[in-house]
Amino acid sequence: MDSVELYRQLLGLTAIWTVEQVELDMAKKHVEVHVGHPGGQRFACPECGRELGYL
Ligand SMILES: [Zn+2]
């Protein structure tokens, strides 16, 4: 498993999300994970599953 896949699983990201960048600062014990999604993608409401508008 590469680090991108590792962060995807740690964050519980669904397939739509891609990890674009990971910044790891060991000195500050700080991790920044930048995620993105393809343009024109519809998202379902996490509570009722209804599709929401384009983002
Ligand atoms: Zn809803």
Side-chain angles (χ1 to χ4, degrees):
M1 186 188 298
D2 63 20
S3 60
V4 164
E5 187 57 29
L6 175 67
Y7 281 110
R8 283 178 55 85
Q9 296 209 4
L10 284 174
L11 295 169
L13 296 175
T14 50
I16 182 177
W17 295 100
T18 53
V19 175
E20 294 184 336
Q21 193 184 345
V22 177
E23 292 172 31
L24 185 58
D25 188 332
M26 293 302 277
K28 292 181 184 166
K29 295 182 178 169
H30 181 94
V31 183
E32 255 178 54
V33 182
H34 299 247
V35 297
H37 62 80
Q41 186 68 52
R42 280 176 164 267
F43 288 82
C45 171
E47 292 188 357
C48 66
R50 205 173 127 195
E51 278 203 340
L52 306 174
Y54 290 99
L55 290 184

